[in-house]
């Protein structure tokens, strides 16, 4: 089987915003406690942060991390996480039916972000609280001094403001499961007034308004239209969330889900354009895809805690999906879609970063290791920065529940003009046949393959565990070459590849 791809230097999508490769940490399960924070761990630093986790996060070069939720934020009092730890209250978290000690709050998270080399993306509570708590939180974080909240920050050990620029106006407010759930008009009015108050403090903030929790919501896409009509002139991004599942174990359908993702993005982009046109606005609003990942492996296991059968435990194991090789292919397809839609998707946050549906897993008191999906996320984050190419793909396909004629080869391309490189990310969705791919490089002079990474496995269900951390991992490929203005490579059945070309 053969596939033909054309990459033209002048046929581009957009400059990719580095924040497309962001992540997410919520006070949920073991994401924070025994995830990023575990005093007494052999690798813990003076602040109690796990050094082994920090090393794995730094390697990803994560540009931004969303915090503290997620569903958790909709009943969260940010003031619970400041001041002396011994004075902080223990609260019951209604979202995940657990107890929250508040040992980690904004000061600790900010210190962790500095250690990890990333920026903060903070969310305010528009569920159980509202405008006043949001503006106070903003003042606490960003005002230099001389006001009540900024002086309290200094008293709590941080004299200089953090100057956080990126803020989320609540979380999944379209969802009936959300504490403080609202309809589109209620939420749109509250978000607009909160945004106005925050911008009265600092006009340079970037604000993210809640879009649909997923594309099967009964209110989608009307939710986006209504909310944006209330908020269009005071926000910069609308958030979207999507999780990918394969409980039926139908690989062909599963690996076609990114076509549903692409339609989701396209529909919301149309809603944005509609509202922009209706308002005769000169502003552009983009998409922040600030929750995405595979999530279904742990669903049955989690029910006892989520249904309240285990009381209110502290940092229990929740949403601890153990990812397999099949999920590598899925994550590769998701990231390819974001690159191809980087004209409208400017921020992305894999959900989440550690332990909770995450590329990194830890053992309490023990090791940290890379899950299978760590690798496609790593390759995209490190090498997927630059300008997205608008590729022309000619490839055989198959029909699925999500779309017809789904190409067996899913591919994205990135031109980094500063580095003088081209990077291609390729997934072969075919389960039995290798595919020979030719990428015609038009407008690019010369070219030499400088890196070729391949991920394959004989078992789609293969996983990485604490006992076998290298079971699913990339290896150096062979045979990829540039000749006569074209890149040629062979993609084994069910494989993920990254190929880099020096121009």
């Amino acid at each position: 089987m053969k596939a033909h791809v054309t990459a033209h230097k002048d046929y581009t999508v957009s400059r990719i915003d580095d924040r497309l490769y962001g992540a997410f940490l919520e006070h949920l399960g073991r994401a924070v406690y025994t995830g990023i924070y575990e005093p007494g761990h052999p690798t813990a630093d003076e602040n109690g942060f796990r050094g082994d986790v920090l090393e794995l996060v730094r390697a990803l070069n994560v540009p931004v991390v969303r915090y503290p939720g997620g569903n958790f934020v909709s009943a969260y009092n940010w003031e619970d996480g400041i001041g002396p730890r011994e004075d902080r209250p223990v609260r019951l978290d209604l979202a995940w039916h657990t107890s929250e000690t508040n040992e980690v709050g904004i000061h600790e998270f900010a210190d962790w972000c500095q250690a990890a080399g990333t920026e903060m993306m903070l969310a305010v509570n528009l569920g159980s609280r509202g405008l006043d708590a949001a503006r106070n939180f903003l003042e606490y974080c960003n005002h230099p001094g001389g006001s009540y909240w900024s002086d309290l920050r200094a008293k709590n050990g941080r004299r200089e403001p953090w100057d956080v620029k990126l803020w989320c106006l609540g979380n999944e407010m379209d969802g009936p499961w959300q504490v403080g759930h609202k309809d589109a008009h209620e939420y749109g009015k509250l978000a607009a007034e909160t945004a106005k108050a925050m911008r009265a403090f600092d006009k340079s903030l970037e604000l993210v308004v809640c879009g649909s929790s997923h594309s099967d919501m009964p209110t989608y896409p009307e939710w986006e239209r209504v909310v944006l009509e209330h908020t269009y002139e005071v926000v910069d991004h609308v958030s979207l969330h999507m999780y990918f599942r394969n409980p039926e174990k139908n690989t062909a359908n599963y690996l076609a889900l990114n076509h549903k993702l692409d339609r989701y993005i396209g529909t919301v982009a149309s809603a944005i354009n509609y509202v922009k046109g209706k308002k005769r606005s000169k502003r552009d609003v983009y998409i922040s895809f600030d929750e995405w990942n595979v999530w279904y492996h742990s669903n049955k296991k989690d029910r006892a805690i989520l249904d309240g059968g285990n009381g209110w435990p502290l940092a229990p194991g929740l949403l601890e999906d153990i990812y397999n090789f099949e999920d590598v292919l899925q994550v590769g397809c998701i990231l390819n879609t974001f690159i191809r839609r980087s004209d409208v998707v400017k921020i992305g946050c894999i959900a989440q970063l550690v332990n909770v549906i995450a590329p990194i897993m830890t053992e309490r008191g023990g090791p940290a290791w890379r899950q299978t999906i760590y690798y496609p996320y790593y390759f995209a984050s490190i090498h997927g920065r630059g300008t997205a190419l608008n590729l022309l793909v000619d490839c055989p396909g198959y029909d699925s529940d999500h779309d017809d004629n789904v190409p067996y080869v899913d591919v994205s391309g990135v031109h980094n003009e500063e580095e003088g490189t081209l990077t291609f990310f390729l997934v072969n969705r075919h389960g039995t046949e290798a595919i020979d791919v030719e990428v015609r490089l038009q407008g690019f002079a010369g070219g030499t393959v400088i890196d070729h990474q391949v991920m394959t496995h004989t078992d789609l269900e293969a996983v990485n565990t604490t006992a076998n951390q290298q079971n699913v991992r990339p290896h150096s490929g062979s045979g990829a070459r540039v000749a006569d203005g074209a890149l040629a490579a062979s993609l084994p059945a069910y494989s993920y590849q990254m190929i880099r070309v020096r121009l």
Side-chain angles (χ1 to χ4, degrees):
M1 189 178 294
K2 297 184 182 297
H4 300 278
V5 179
T6 301
H8 196 291
K9 183 179 181 181
D10 298 327
Y11 196 23
T12 63
V13 177
S14 175
R15 179 79 183 182
I16 298 168
D17 191 317
D18 288 351
R19 297 174 301 178
L20 190 66
Y21 306 113
F24 176 33
L25 277 170
E26 182 173 0
H27 283 257
L28 192 180
R30 298 193 308 116
V32 173
Y33 305 113
T34 74
I36 66 169
Y37 177 78
E38 189 178 349
H41 188 273
T43 70
D45 64 14
E46 66 276 9
N47 294 316
F49 302 135
R50 288 185 57 145
D52 53 355
V53 171
L54 279 169
E55 184 178 348
L56 291 173
V57 173
R58 289 190 199 107
L60 290 167
N61 195 18
V62 179
V64 67
V65 178
R66 180 171 171 249
Y67 173 89
N71 294 351
F72 174 81
V73 79
S74 292
Y76 177 56
N77 301 328
W78 67 268
E79 304 93 333
D80 291 344
I82 62 175
R85 280 200 179 96
E86 61 270 20
D87 295 337
R88 298 182 190 179
V90 175
R91 301 287 191 189
L92 300 183
D93 172 32
L94 302 177
W96 304 107
H97 213 278
T98 56
S99 294
E100 171 56 51
T101 65
N102 287 298
E103 292 173 72
V104 171
I106 181 60
H107 286 262
E108 291 77 20
F109 179 66
D111 288 343
W112 181 84
C113 285
Q114 183 176 10
T118 190
E119 298 293 327
M120 292 189 283
M121 177 182 185
L122 296 180
V124 300
N125 176 356
L126 293 189
S128 66
R129 305 186 78 184
L131 186 158
D132 212 38
R135 73 181 183 92
N136 293 343
F137 190 24
L138 173 61
E139 182 184 316
Y140 187 90
C141 291
N142 285 12
H143 193 56
S147 70
Y148 175 81
W149 291 109
S150 60
D151 288 348
L152 182 59
R153 181 193 68 238
K155 180 181 177 182
N156 289 332
R158 173 75 186 196
R159 182 164 298 279
E160 294 301 314
W162 290 297
D163 197 25
V164 180
K165 291 299 186 183
L166 188 55
W167 294 79
C168 301
L169 302 174
N171 174 75
E172 292 186 355
M173 298 309 297
D174 63 326
W177 58 84
Q178 202 72 209
V179 173
H181 160 66
K182 297 167 177 62
D183 67 30
H185 285 288
E186 289 175 310
Y187 170 68
K189 291 176 182 177
L190 174 60
E193 293 305 313
T194 303
K196 284 161 58 180
M198 295 176 77
R199 288 199 184 283
F201 174 84
D202 182 356
K203 290 182 173 59
S204 70
L205 298 178
E206 283 188 78
L207 302 179
V208 183
V209 72
C210 292
S212 292
S213 301
H214 55 79
S215 62
D216 294 324
M217 292 293 293
T219 53
Y220 160 81
E222 182 70 358
W223 173 275
E224 279 76 11
R225 180 193 68 79
V226 173
V227 168
L228 285 171
E229 286 191 4
H230 285 290
T231 63
Y232 194 89
E233 296 297 337
V234 290
V235 300
D236 303 280
H237 309 269
V238 57
S239 72
L240 297 184
H241 296 171
M242 184 172 176
Y243 292 98
F244 299 77
R245 307 174 70 251
N246 187 25
E248 304 84 8
K249 298 301 177 184
N250 184 322
T251 301
N253 277 337
Y254 181 52
L255 297 183
L257 273 168
N258 70 320
H259 281 234
K260 182 178 181 179
L261 168 63
D262 186 77
R263 287 196 302 275
Y264 187 20
I265 294 168
T267 299
V268 173
S270 296
I272 292 170
N273 287 334
Y274 169 78
V275 176
K276 178 179 180 178
K278 183 177 180 180
K279 290 183 171 291
R280 277 62 172 175
S281 178
K282 295 181 179 179
R283 300 185 74 254
D284 288 316
V285 171
Y286 297 100
I287 290 172
S288 172
F289 220 110
D290 49 39
E291 285 188 35
W292 68 268
N293 206 345
V294 174
W295 177 17
Y296 74 96
H297 298 286
S298 63
N299 290 164
K300 291 181 181 178
K301 176 177 174 288
D302 293 336
R303 286 295 4 137
I305 293 173
L306 298 180
D307 291 341
N310 288 358
W312 299 87
L314 293 167
L318 271 174
L319 280 63
E320 296 196 2
D321 271 35
I322 304 302
Y323 293 117
N324 58 33
F325 174 69
E326 184 182 58
D327 300 325
V328 170
L329 307 178
Q330 179 64 269
V331 168
C333 289
I334 295 166
L335 288 163
N336 280 350
T337 304
F338 289 154
I339 291 170
R340 292 192 296 259
R341 299 309 302 261
S342 56
D343 56 330
V344 64
V345 181
K346 297 300 180 180
I347 301 169
C349 299
I350 191 170
Q352 293 185 19
L353 190 54
V354 186
N355 286 332
V356 174
I357 46 176
I360 299 169
M361 288 296 294
T362 72
E363 187 177 275
R364 189 187 302 265
W369 66 95
R370 301 169 184 84
Q371 289 232 64
T372 64
I373 65 168
Y374 181 97
Y375 297 103
Y377 176 39
Y378 167 83
F379 288 130
S381 179
I382 300 303
H383 299 299
R385 306 193 186 201
T387 298
L389 297 173
N390 197 342
L391 305 176
L392 178 64
V393 180
D394 180 13
C395 176
Y398 67 96
D399 293 344
S400 75
D401 290 349
H402 308 296
D403 208 355
D404 292 337
N405 197 29
V406 176
Y408 282 113
V409 173
D410 190 272
V411 57
S412 67
V414 178
H415 177 208
N416 190 319
E417 191 168 8
E418 292 80 8
E419 292 184 354
T421 58
L422 288 172
T423 303
F424 296 96
F425 306 98
L426 306 104
V427 175
N428 182 359
R429 294 183 172 105
H430 204 293
T432 58
E433 289 194 37
I435 300 178
D436 293 328
V437 175
E438 180 189 67
V439 183
R440 290 181 286 271
L441 307 178
Q442 298 185 353
F444 298 103
T448 303
V449 173
I450 57 170
D451 194 7
H452 183 195
Q453 298 293 324
V454 180
M455 294 188 73
T456 59
H457 206 284
T458 56
D459 181 8
L460 287 175
E461 300 290 333
V463 301
N464 291 343
T465 65
T466 182
N468 190 358
Q469 299 179 19
Q470 299 295 312
N471 185 31
V472 179
R473 65 188 189 281
H475 62 270
S476 295
S478 61
R481 65 192 185 281
V482 176
D484 300 323
L487 167 67
S490 181
L491 312 182
Y494 283 153
S495 64
Y496 167 90
Q497 297 199 23
M498 179 195 74
I499 305 174
R500 303 188 68 224
V501 174
R502 175 79 65 194
L503 298 172

